[in-house]
Amino acid sequence: MPTRTTGHFTFANWEERTVSPGEASPTLACASVTNAYAGGITAPGTTCEYVIVYRPDKTGTFTGMQVLAGSLDGREGAFAVEERGGFDAEGTVHCAFEVVAGSGTGELTGLGGTGSYTARQGEPSVAYTFDYHLPTPPATGSTRSVTGSTPSVTD
């Protein structure tokens, strides 16, 4: 069963550039973003790259990849997430994200999980929810030995 953690993040830096030619619509843009996470995920300076499509009706969609280095509920390491979302004409963003398989390092090796957030225009902090799982550590206090073909367990 997954573990749920929550917290919030703030945008520390947002640099966006249009990559569509001229006045093309829809507009394609790329953004390099630095976020600061607090709560269950503690990562003071994440790196994120987004590709964004702005539609003529002022709505849009985006995908992104983000690396979070720090801790998850006290476990040290880093991991990457893939993000997918959209936004409405008022600027409210809805995003779902998923851990990139095999990206966990340190105490986060084997991490998997999904999360989401909703960001509202003008709010300085964004709440997130993250449901995750880690591999079960091996049991301590018992050993297994095999002699011939008969296994035995001792405590």
Side-chain angles (χ1 to χ4, degrees):
M1 182 163 188
T3 300
R4 174 165 282 187
T5 197
T6 61
H8 66 276
F9 68 90
T10 57
F11 298 106
N13 188 38
W14 183 288
E15 294 180 21
E16 186 173 322
R17 70 186 191 293
T18 301
V19 294
S20 297
E23 299 290 319
S25 187
T27 303
L28 182 64
C30 293
S32 296
V33 180
T34 303
N35 296 316
Y37 280 77
I41 299 170
T42 302
T46 68
T47 302
C48 184
E49 294 293 325
Y50 290 113
V51 177
I52 309 160
V53 173
Y54 292 97
R55 297 183 194 107
D57 67 357
K58 309 251 187 258
T59 65
T61 187
F62 64 91
T63 61
M65 301 295 276
Q66 183 166 201
V67 175
L68 297 108
S71 65
L72 171 62
D73 287 338
R75 294 175 189 90
E76 299 290 325
F79 61 99
V81 295
E82 179 180 5
E83 300 183 29
R84 293 185 175 275
F87 50 91
D88 61 27
E90 289 76 43
T92 299
V93 175
H94 298 280
C95 178
F97 57 90
E98 182 172 2
V99 174
V100 175
S103 68
T105 65
E107 294 177 290
L108 303 178
T109 300
L111 176 69
T114 59
S116 65
Y117 65 83
T118 298
R120 290 178 176 71
Q121 184 75 21
E123 292 184 2
S125 182
V126 179
Y128 66 83
T129 300
F130 181 45
D131 296 320
Y132 68 92
H133 58 276
L134 284 161
T136 304
T140 58
S142 63
T143 60
R144 293 186 183 265
S145 63
V146 177
T147 306
S149 62
T150 307
S152 65
V153 177
T154 59
D155 288 311

